[in-house]
Amino acid sequence: AQTVTQSQPEMSVQEAETVTLSCTYDTSENNYYLFWYKQPPSRQMILVIRQEAYKQQNATENRFSVNFQKAAKSFSLKISDSQLGDTAMYFCAREGGGSNYKLTFGKGTLLTVNP
Amino acid sequence: GAGVSQSPSNKVTEKGKDVELRCDPISGHTALYWYRQRLGQGLEFLIYFQGNSAPDKSGLPSDRFSAERTGESVSTLTIQRTEQRDSAMYRCASSFPATSAEQFFGPGTRLTVL
């Protein structure tokens, strides 16, 4: 089975500091998408950032950036200048690739930002 | 509305009963997905509809689970003879794959089987 692994069940960081959440995945596809979703206590699913596998440049969205290592099948999320509102569960997800659009999710990392 | 909606938001049922969960995708989205999220876990893929193609049912955990979609609109996920292990948050998402890989998620239906 093709899997997505998030090895850090929980992490904490002080407000204004930087934190990196790790994610590795398995795939036999060459072109696919990778995503980080945020799930705050409200239980919404909010897209944080996405990466297209055929693009070498790492995606960036304001304070959020990724370190995408295609050969290593690694896709980590860096959150800079952490804010209290970043406290949430973070899920890494891989799209199936090709015409397979379903997402495979990791088990999540619970991030707590402390004041 | 502009987003994906799901109903009911909460459903409590007794073991052995059938339940129907509804999803209204974003208008114009050709793809619709159902996922299940057990407490403390990530989302598990259940089923995927794309246009007029045959649905991808590879994630359905048993034959008690089924889903239908009317054209490119509403979808219903049905769970027959519910069991306690079916208790979870059921999430629907929709997308327009021709232009974007992003899936937009609904607020979910929390199912509790007593």
Side-chain angles (χ1 to χ4, degrees):
Chain A
Q2 297 191 346
T3 59
V4 175
T5 302
Q6 294 180 248
S7 59
Q8 305 147 315
E10 294 187 33
M11 294 191 73
S12 62
V13 65
Q14 293 300 120
E15 196 174 6
E17 293 187 346
T18 294
V19 64
T20 298
L21 310 182
S22 66
C23 174
T24 58
Y25 60 92
D26 183 21
T27 185
S28 56
E29 296 287 336
N30 190 45
N31 294 321
Y32 49 90
Y33 282 86
L34 296 162
F35 303 87
W36 279 97
Y37 278 89
K38 170 184 177 181
Q39 190 173 62
S42 66
R43 306 277 293 175
Q44 293 176 277
M45 287 290 288
I46 303 167
L47 179 65
V48 174
I49 198 165
R50 66 181 170 189
Q51 175 79 41
E52 298 167 81
Y54 65 86
K55 288 188 176 179
Q56 292 186 334
Q57 185 173 6
N58 289 323
T60 300
E61 288 286 342
N62 301 314
R63 299 182 295 107
F64 299 88
S65 62
V66 300
N67 182 3
F68 173 50
Q69 302 290 328
K70 189 173 183 180
K73 295 187 174 70
S74 171
F75 181 60
S76 61
L77 174 69
K78 185 171 83 171
I79 305 174
S80 304
D81 186 25
S82 297
Q83 300 176 0
L84 297 178
D86 294 335
T87 293
M89 183 72 86
Y90 287 82
F91 292 101
C92 177
R94 175 187 51 76
E95 184 211 40
S99 59
N100 180 351
Y101 304 115
K102 64 188 181 188
L103 298 179
T104 300
F105 284 83
K107 292 187 175 182
T109 296
L110 178 59
L111 175 67
T112 302
V113 180
N114 298 308
Chain B
V4 177
S5 60
Q6 292 184 245
S7 61
S9 55
N10 283 285
K11 176 71 176 178
V12 180
T13 190
E14 294 180 347
K15 178 183 173 180
K17 302 282 190 182
D18 298 352
V19 295
E20 283 189 355
L21 312 180
R22 177 188 168 105
C23 172
D24 284 87
I26 293 172
S27 178
H29 278 190
T30 57
L32 186 148
Y33 315 78
W34 283 98
Y35 296 90
R36 176 173 69 180
Q37 185 178 19
R38 291 193 166 115
L39 192 63
Q41 300 294 314
L43 280 71
E44 305 169 74
F45 166 76
L46 295 178
I47 188 169
Y48 154 51
F49 298 89
Q50 166 61 18
N52 295 320
S53 302
D56 178 349
K57 304 179 182 180
S58 60
L60 294 178
S62 78
D63 58 8
R64 297 185 297 105
F65 287 71
S66 63
E68 294 183 349
R69 186 181 188 194
T70 306
E72 292 185 352
S73 61
V74 171
S75 176
T76 302
L77 176 69
T78 301
I79 308 173
Q80 296 179 312
R81 305 181 302 281
T82 52
E83 300 177 4
Q84 289 182 334
R85 60 180 173 165
D86 299 333
S87 296
M89 178 76 83
Y90 289 83
R91 290 194 183 269
C92 172
S94 71
S95 71
F96 189 57
T99 60
S100 171
E102 180 177 357
Q103 294 185 19
F104 295 82
F105 283 84
T109 293
R110 180 172 297 284
L111 175 65
T112 302
V113 182
L114 301 177

PDB file of all heavy atoms in Angstrom, chain A residues 7 10 22 27-28 32 36 38-39 42 45 49 52 58 64-65 72 74-75 82-83 89 91-92 102 105 107 113-114:
ATOM      1  N   SER A   7       6.153  11.278  11.194  1.00  0.00           N
ATOM      2  CA  SER A   7       6.822  10.590  12.302  1.00  0.00           C
ATOM      3  C   SER A   7       6.721  11.316  13.632  1.00  0.00           C
ATOM      4  O   SER A   7       7.139  10.775  14.658  1.00  0.00           O
ATOM      5  CB  SER A   7       8.296  10.377  11.955  1.00  0.00           C
ATOM      6  OG  SER A   7       8.918  11.621  11.706  1.00  0.00           O
ATOM      7  N   GLU A  10       3.336  14.648  17.967  1.00  0.00           N
ATOM      8  CA  GLU A  10       3.097  15.932  18.625  1.00  0.00           C
ATOM      9  C   GLU A  10       4.370  16.761  18.596  1.00  0.00           C
ATOM     10  O   GLU A  10       5.478  16.225  18.690  1.00  0.00           O
ATOM     11  CB  GLU A  10       2.683  15.724  20.094  1.00  0.00           C
ATOM     12  CG  GLU A  10       1.351  15.034  20.285  1.00  0.00           C
ATOM     13  CD  GLU A  10       0.941  15.014  21.753  1.00  0.00           C
ATOM     14  OE1 GLU A  10       1.265  15.960  22.481  1.00  0.00           O
ATOM     15  OE2 GLU A  10       0.297  14.029  22.157  1.00  0.00           O
ATOM     16  N   SER A  22       7.744  17.026   9.671  1.00  0.00           N
ATOM     17  CA  SER A  22       8.268  16.128   8.643  1.00  0.00           C
ATOM     18  C   SER A  22       7.181  15.243   8.040  1.00  0.00           C
ATOM     19  O   SER A  22       6.154  14.956   8.669  1.00  0.00           O
ATOM     20  CB  SER A  22       9.378  15.257   9.223  1.00  0.00           C
ATOM     21  OG  SER A  22       8.845  14.388  10.204  1.00  0.00           O
ATOM     22  N   THR A  27       5.444   6.478  -3.455  1.00  0.00           N
ATOM     23  CA  THR A  27       4.698   6.549  -4.701  1.00  0.00           C
ATOM     24  C   THR A  27       5.522   5.972  -5.826  1.00  0.00           C
ATOM     25  O   THR A  27       6.751   6.005  -5.778  1.00  0.00           O
ATOM     26  CB  THR A  27       4.308   8.002  -5.041  1.00  0.00           C
ATOM     27  OG1 THR A  27       3.491   8.004  -6.214  1.00  0.00           O
ATOM     28  CG2 THR A  27       5.526   8.872  -5.291  1.00  0.00           C
ATOM     29  N   SER A  28       4.832   5.469  -6.836  1.00  0.00           N
ATOM     30  CA  SER A  28       5.510   4.988  -8.040  1.00  0.00           C
ATOM     31  C   SER A  28       5.275   5.951  -9.202  1.00  0.00           C
ATOM     32  O   SER A  28       5.761   5.716 -10.299  1.00  0.00           O
ATOM     33  CB  SER A  28       5.011   3.588  -8.402  1.00  0.00           C
ATOM     34  OG  SER A  28       3.604   3.595  -8.554  1.00  0.00           O
ATOM     35  N   TYR A  32       2.706  14.216  -9.528  1.00  0.00           N
ATOM     36  CA  TYR A  32       1.661  14.148  -8.504  1.00  0.00           C
ATOM     37  C   TYR A  32       1.721  15.444  -7.704  1.00  0.00           C
ATOM     38  O   TYR A  32       2.623  16.266  -7.901  1.00  0.00           O
ATOM     39  CB  TYR A  32       1.856  12.935  -7.586  1.00  0.00           C
ATOM     40  CG  TYR A  32       3.266  12.788  -7.056  1.00  0.00           C
ATOM     41  CD1 TYR A  32       3.646  13.386  -5.857  1.00  0.00           C
ATOM     42  CD2 TYR A  32       4.227  12.090  -7.782  1.00  0.00           C
ATOM     43  CE1 TYR A  32       4.936  13.279  -5.389  1.00  0.00           C
ATOM     44  CE2 TYR A  32       5.520  11.980  -7.314  1.00  0.00           C
ATOM     45  CZ  TYR A  32       5.877  12.573  -6.122  1.00  0.00           C
ATOM     46  OH  TYR A  32       7.171  12.473  -5.671  1.00  0.00           O
ATOM     47  N   TRP A  36      -0.162  20.089   2.415  1.00  0.00           N
ATOM     48  CA  TRP A  36      -0.289  20.164   3.856  1.00  0.00           C
ATOM     49  C   TRP A  36      -1.635  20.809   4.170  1.00  0.00           C
ATOM     50  O   TRP A  36      -1.948  21.892   3.655  1.00  0.00           O
ATOM     51  CB  TRP A  36       0.835  21.002   4.481  1.00  0.00           C
ATOM     52  CG  TRP A  36       2.118  20.254   4.645  1.00  0.00           C
ATOM     53  CD1 TRP A  36       3.191  20.254   3.811  1.00  0.00           C
ATOM     54  CD2 TRP A  36       2.450  19.392   5.733  1.00  0.00           C
ATOM     55  NE1 TRP A  36       4.175  19.432   4.305  1.00  0.00           N
ATOM     56  CE2 TRP A  36       3.755  18.903   5.487  1.00  0.00           C
ATOM     57  CE3 TRP A  36       1.796  18.993   6.904  1.00  0.00           C
ATOM     58  CZ2 TRP A  36       4.417  18.025   6.359  1.00  0.00           C
ATOM     59  CZ3 TRP A  36       2.451  18.130   7.769  1.00  0.00           C
ATOM     60  CH2 TRP A  36       3.738  17.649   7.492  1.00  0.00           C
ATOM     61  N   LYS A  38      -4.307  21.915   7.401  1.00  0.00           N
ATOM     62  CA  LYS A  38      -4.381  22.277   8.813  1.00  0.00           C
ATOM     63  C   LYS A  38      -5.793  21.972   9.307  1.00  0.00           C
ATOM     64  O   LYS A  38      -6.776  22.296   8.635  1.00  0.00           O
ATOM     65  CB  LYS A  38      -4.076  23.776   8.953  1.00  0.00           C
ATOM     66  CG  LYS A  38      -4.335  24.388  10.298  1.00  0.00           C
ATOM     67  CD  LYS A  38      -4.071  25.892  10.230  1.00  0.00           C
ATOM     68  CE  LYS A  38      -4.380  26.573  11.547  1.00  0.00           C
ATOM     69  NZ  LYS A  38      -4.138  28.043  11.473  1.00  0.00           N
ATOM     70  N   GLN A  39      -5.862  21.380  10.492  1.00  0.00           N
ATOM     71  CA  GLN A  39      -7.161  21.113  11.117  1.00  0.00           C
ATOM     72  C   GLN A  39      -7.152  21.717  12.517  1.00  0.00           C
ATOM     73  O   GLN A  39      -6.654  21.117  13.463  1.00  0.00           O
ATOM     74  CB  GLN A  39      -7.454  19.617  11.171  1.00  0.00           C
ATOM     75  CG  GLN A  39      -8.882  19.295  11.592  1.00  0.00           C
ATOM     76  CD  GLN A  39      -9.195  17.819  11.477  1.00  0.00           C
ATOM     77  OE1 GLN A  39      -8.577  16.986  12.140  1.00  0.00           O
ATOM     78  NE2 GLN A  39     -10.161  17.473  10.640  1.00  0.00           N
ATOM     79  N   SER A  42     -11.616  23.738  15.498  1.00  0.00           N
ATOM     80  CA  SER A  42     -12.934  23.791  14.854  1.00  0.00           C
ATOM     81  C   SER A  42     -13.188  22.591  13.946  1.00  0.00           C
ATOM     82  O   SER A  42     -14.318  22.381  13.490  1.00  0.00           O
ATOM     83  CB  SER A  42     -13.059  25.065  14.016  1.00  0.00           C
ATOM     84  OG  SER A  42     -12.142  25.022  12.927  1.00  0.00           O
ATOM     85  N   MET A  45     -10.992  21.576   7.592  1.00  0.00           N
ATOM     86  CA  MET A  45      -9.797  21.161   6.856  1.00  0.00           C
ATOM     87  C   MET A  45      -9.397  22.335   5.978  1.00  0.00           C
ATOM     88  O   MET A  45     -10.127  22.709   5.054  1.00  0.00           O
ATOM     89  CB  MET A  45     -10.076  19.931   5.990  1.00  0.00           C
ATOM     90  CG  MET A  45     -10.230  18.646   6.785  1.00  0.00           C
ATOM     91  SD  MET A  45      -8.694  18.084   7.514  1.00  0.00           S
ATOM     92  CE  MET A  45      -7.810  17.520   6.061  1.00  0.00           C
ATOM     93  N   ILE A  49      -0.658  24.614   2.045  1.00  0.00           N
ATOM     94  CA  ILE A  49       0.302  24.779   0.956  1.00  0.00           C
ATOM     95  C   ILE A  49       0.285  23.516   0.097  1.00  0.00           C
ATOM     96  O   ILE A  49      -0.058  22.433   0.578  1.00  0.00           O
ATOM     97  CB  ILE A  49       1.717  25.053   1.533  1.00  0.00           C
ATOM     98  CG1 ILE A  49       2.650  25.655   0.487  1.00  0.00           C
ATOM     99  CG2 ILE A  49       2.304  23.800   2.163  1.00  0.00           C
ATOM    100  CD1 ILE A  49       3.910  26.257   1.096  1.00  0.00           C
ATOM    101  N   GLU A  52       3.731  20.836  -6.541  1.00  0.00           N
ATOM    102  CA  GLU A  52       3.634  19.959  -7.710  1.00  0.00           C
ATOM    103  C   GLU A  52       4.960  19.233  -7.855  1.00  0.00           C
ATOM    104  O   GLU A  52       6.024  19.876  -7.845  1.00  0.00           O
ATOM    105  CB  GLU A  52       3.331  20.792  -8.943  1.00  0.00           C
ATOM    106  CG  GLU A  52       1.996  21.515  -8.839  1.00  0.00           C
ATOM    107  CD  GLU A  52       1.837  22.577  -9.919  1.00  0.00           C
ATOM    108  OE1 GLU A  52       1.483  22.184 -11.043  1.00  0.00           O
ATOM    109  OE2 GLU A  52       2.084  23.758  -9.631  1.00  0.00           O
ATOM    110  N   ASN A  58      10.692  24.972  -4.313  1.00  0.00           N
ATOM    111  CA  ASN A  58       9.867  24.729  -3.141  1.00  0.00           C
ATOM    112  C   ASN A  58       8.758  25.771  -3.039  1.00  0.00           C
ATOM    113  O   ASN A  58       8.999  26.976  -3.210  1.00  0.00           O
ATOM    114  CB  ASN A  58      10.713  24.762  -1.870  1.00  0.00           C
ATOM    115  CG  ASN A  58      11.620  23.552  -1.759  1.00  0.00           C
ATOM    116  OD1 ASN A  58      11.252  22.455  -2.137  1.00  0.00           O
ATOM    117  ND2 ASN A  58      12.813  23.775  -1.243  1.00  0.00           N
ATOM    118  N   PHE A  64       4.661  30.051   5.601  1.00  0.00           N
ATOM    119  CA  PHE A  64       4.727  28.606   5.409  1.00  0.00           C
ATOM    120  C   PHE A  64       5.554  28.286   4.168  1.00  0.00           C
ATOM    121  O   PHE A  64       5.347  28.882   3.108  1.00  0.00           O
ATOM    122  CB  PHE A  64       3.320  28.029   5.243  1.00  0.00           C
ATOM    123  CG  PHE A  64       2.424  28.244   6.436  1.00  0.00           C
ATOM    124  CD1 PHE A  64       1.670  29.406   6.559  1.00  0.00           C
ATOM    125  CD2 PHE A  64       2.348  27.303   7.438  1.00  0.00           C
ATOM    126  CE1 PHE A  64       0.856  29.614   7.664  1.00  0.00           C
ATOM    127  CE2 PHE A  64       1.528  27.496   8.542  1.00  0.00           C
ATOM    128  CZ  PHE A  64       0.783  28.644   8.659  1.00  0.00           C
ATOM    129  N   SER A  65       6.461  27.365   4.304  1.00  0.00           N
ATOM    130  CA  SER A  65       7.260  26.921   3.164  1.00  0.00           C
ATOM    131  C   SER A  65       7.510  25.432   3.296  1.00  0.00           C
ATOM    132  O   SER A  65       7.353  24.850   4.369  1.00  0.00           O
ATOM    133  CB  SER A  65       8.574  27.691   3.081  1.00  0.00           C
ATOM    134  OG  SER A  65       9.353  27.462   4.242  1.00  0.00           O
ATOM    135  N   ALA A  72      14.178  11.627  -2.342  1.00  0.00           N
ATOM    136  CA  ALA A  72      14.048  11.053  -1.004  1.00  0.00           C
ATOM    137  C   ALA A  72      12.591  10.862  -0.615  1.00  0.00           C
ATOM    138  O   ALA A  72      12.305  10.303   0.447  1.00  0.00           O
ATOM    139  CB  ALA A  72      14.755  11.945   0.009  1.00  0.00           C
ATOM    140  N   SER A  74      10.444  13.107   0.379  1.00  0.00           N
ATOM    141  CA  SER A  74      10.307  13.842   1.634  1.00  0.00           C
ATOM    142  C   SER A  74       9.657  15.194   1.360  1.00  0.00           C
ATOM    143  O   SER A  74       9.978  15.853   0.352  1.00  0.00           O
ATOM    144  CB  SER A  74      11.678  14.029   2.267  1.00  0.00           C
ATOM    145  OG  SER A  74      11.620  14.903   3.362  1.00  0.00           O
ATOM    146  N   PHE A  75       8.787  15.621   2.262  1.00  0.00           N
ATOM    147  CA  PHE A  75       8.005  16.842   2.039  1.00  0.00           C
ATOM    148  C   PHE A  75       7.732  17.487   3.396  1.00  0.00           C
ATOM    149  O   PHE A  75       6.684  17.282   3.992  1.00  0.00           O
ATOM    150  CB  PHE A  75       6.692  16.457   1.333  1.00  0.00           C
ATOM    151  CG  PHE A  75       5.779  17.597   1.006  1.00  0.00           C
ATOM    152  CD1 PHE A  75       6.185  18.636   0.184  1.00  0.00           C
ATOM    153  CD2 PHE A  75       4.483  17.625   1.498  1.00  0.00           C
ATOM    154  CE1 PHE A  75       5.331  19.676  -0.134  1.00  0.00           C
ATOM    155  CE2 PHE A  75       3.610  18.662   1.182  1.00  0.00           C
ATOM    156  CZ  PHE A  75       4.047  19.682   0.377  1.00  0.00           C
ATOM    157  N   SER A  82       6.034  31.540  14.319  1.00  0.00           N
ATOM    158  CA  SER A  82       4.822  30.826  14.746  1.00  0.00           C
ATOM    159  C   SER A  82       3.886  31.725  15.538  1.00  0.00           C
ATOM    160  O   SER A  82       4.325  32.541  16.366  1.00  0.00           O
ATOM    161  CB  SER A  82       5.207  29.622  15.615  1.00  0.00           C
ATOM    162  OG  SER A  82       5.973  28.700  14.870  1.00  0.00           O
ATOM    163  N   GLN A  83       2.601  31.553  15.282  1.00  0.00           N
ATOM    164  CA  GLN A  83       1.576  32.333  15.975  1.00  0.00           C
ATOM    165  C   GLN A  83       0.641  31.382  16.722  1.00  0.00           C
ATOM    166  O   GLN A  83       0.523  30.208  16.371  1.00  0.00           O
ATOM    167  CB  GLN A  83       0.790  33.161  14.954  1.00  0.00           C
ATOM    168  CG  GLN A  83       1.659  34.130  14.175  1.00  0.00           C
ATOM    169  CD  GLN A  83       0.908  34.889  13.098  1.00  0.00           C
ATOM    170  OE1 GLN A  83      -0.300  34.701  12.907  1.00  0.00           O
ATOM    171  NE2 GLN A  83       1.613  35.754  12.391  1.00  0.00           N
ATOM    172  N   MET A  89      -3.878  20.490  14.282  1.00  0.00           N
ATOM    173  CA  MET A  89      -3.357  19.239  13.740  1.00  0.00           C
ATOM    174  C   MET A  89      -2.982  19.506  12.283  1.00  0.00           C
ATOM    175  O   MET A  89      -3.758  20.139  11.549  1.00  0.00           O
ATOM    176  CB  MET A  89      -4.424  18.144  13.813  1.00  0.00           C
ATOM    177  CG  MET A  89      -3.968  16.795  13.337  1.00  0.00           C
ATOM    178  SD  MET A  89      -2.834  15.996  14.466  1.00  0.00           S
ATOM    179  CE  MET A  89      -4.002  15.207  15.573  1.00  0.00           C
ATOM    180  N   PHE A  91      -1.872  17.797   8.649  1.00  0.00           N
ATOM    181  CA  PHE A  91      -1.859  16.555   7.881  1.00  0.00           C
ATOM    182  C   PHE A  91      -1.112  16.762   6.573  1.00  0.00           C
ATOM    183  O   PHE A  91      -1.380  17.701   5.828  1.00  0.00           O
ATOM    184  CB  PHE A  91      -3.280  16.098   7.560  1.00  0.00           C
ATOM    185  CG  PHE A  91      -4.067  15.653   8.754  1.00  0.00           C
ATOM    186  CD1 PHE A  91      -4.995  16.498   9.337  1.00  0.00           C
ATOM    187  CD2 PHE A  91      -3.871  14.401   9.299  1.00  0.00           C
ATOM    188  CE1 PHE A  91      -5.722  16.099  10.437  1.00  0.00           C
ATOM    189  CE2 PHE A  91      -4.602  13.991  10.403  1.00  0.00           C
ATOM    190  CZ  PHE A  91      -5.526  14.847  10.978  1.00  0.00           C
ATOM    191  N   CYS A  92      -0.221  15.852   6.289  1.00  0.00           N
ATOM    192  CA  CYS A  92       0.447  15.767   5.002  1.00  0.00           C
ATOM    193  C   CYS A  92      -0.374  14.826   4.119  1.00  0.00           C
ATOM    194  O   CYS A  92      -0.908  13.814   4.595  1.00  0.00           O
ATOM    195  CB  CYS A  92       1.856  15.219   5.217  1.00  0.00           C
ATOM    196  SG  CYS A  92       2.825  14.968   3.729  1.00  0.00           S
ATOM    197  N   LYS A 102      -7.426  10.970  -5.822  1.00  0.00           N
ATOM    198  CA  LYS A 102      -7.722  10.754  -4.411  1.00  0.00           C
ATOM    199  C   LYS A 102      -6.488  11.026  -3.570  1.00  0.00           C
ATOM    200  O   LYS A 102      -5.347  10.854  -4.017  1.00  0.00           O
ATOM    201  CB  LYS A 102      -8.235   9.345  -4.168  1.00  0.00           C
ATOM    202  CG  LYS A 102      -7.228   8.242  -4.466  1.00  0.00           C
ATOM    203  CD  LYS A 102      -7.896   6.884  -4.378  1.00  0.00           C
ATOM    204  CE  LYS A 102      -6.910   5.759  -4.659  1.00  0.00           C
ATOM    205  NZ  LYS A 102      -7.581   4.454  -4.775  1.00  0.00           N
ATOM    206  N   PHE A 105      -3.575  10.376   3.227  1.00  0.00           N
ATOM    207  CA  PHE A 105      -3.154  11.261   4.312  1.00  0.00           C
ATOM    208  C   PHE A 105      -2.243  10.536   5.290  1.00  0.00           C
ATOM    209  O   PHE A 105      -2.379   9.333   5.517  1.00  0.00           O
ATOM    210  CB  PHE A 105      -4.382  11.749   5.097  1.00  0.00           C
ATOM    211  CG  PHE A 105      -5.177  12.808   4.401  1.00  0.00           C
ATOM    212  CD1 PHE A 105      -6.126  12.469   3.449  1.00  0.00           C
ATOM    213  CD2 PHE A 105      -4.986  14.152   4.699  1.00  0.00           C
ATOM    214  CE1 PHE A 105      -6.872  13.444   2.799  1.00  0.00           C
ATOM    215  CE2 PHE A 105      -5.728  15.132   4.063  1.00  0.00           C
ATOM    216  CZ  PHE A 105      -6.670  14.782   3.113  1.00  0.00           C
ATOM    217  N   LYS A 107      -1.013  10.414   9.422  1.00  0.00           N
ATOM    218  CA  LYS A 107      -1.820  10.372  10.647  1.00  0.00           C
ATOM    219  C   LYS A 107      -1.862  11.703  11.371  1.00  0.00           C
ATOM    220  O   LYS A 107      -2.617  11.867  12.327  1.00  0.00           O
ATOM    221  CB  LYS A 107      -1.305   9.277  11.588  1.00  0.00           C
ATOM    222  CG  LYS A 107      -1.532   7.884  11.036  1.00  0.00           C
ATOM    223  CD  LYS A 107      -1.170   6.812  12.055  1.00  0.00           C
ATOM    224  CE  LYS A 107      -1.517   5.434  11.505  1.00  0.00           C
ATOM    225  NZ  LYS A 107      -1.220   4.357  12.469  1.00  0.00           N
ATOM    226  N   VAL A 113       1.431  25.850  19.748  1.00  0.00           N
ATOM    227  CA  VAL A 113       2.253  27.059  19.836  1.00  0.00           C
ATOM    228  C   VAL A 113       2.017  27.672  21.208  1.00  0.00           C
ATOM    229  O   VAL A 113       0.881  28.023  21.560  1.00  0.00           O
ATOM    230  CB  VAL A 113       1.902  28.060  18.729  1.00  0.00           C
ATOM    231  CG1 VAL A 113       2.773  29.310  18.842  1.00  0.00           C
ATOM    232  CG2 VAL A 113       2.079  27.413  17.360  1.00  0.00           C
ATOM    233  N   ASN A 114       3.078  27.790  21.975  1.00  0.00           N
ATOM    234  CA  ASN A 114       2.982  28.289  23.345  1.00  0.00           C
ATOM    235  C   ASN A 114       3.329  29.778  23.420  1.00  0.00           C
ATOM    236  O   ASN A 114       4.247  30.239  22.733  1.00  0.00           O
ATOM    237  CB  ASN A 114       3.940  27.512  24.246  1.00  0.00           C
ATOM    238  CG  ASN A 114       3.599  26.042  24.309  1.00  0.00           C
ATOM    239  OD1 ASN A 114       2.460  25.676  24.580  1.00  0.00           O
ATOM    240  ND2 ASN A 114       4.578  25.195  24.052  1.00  0.00           N
TER     241      ASN A 114
END
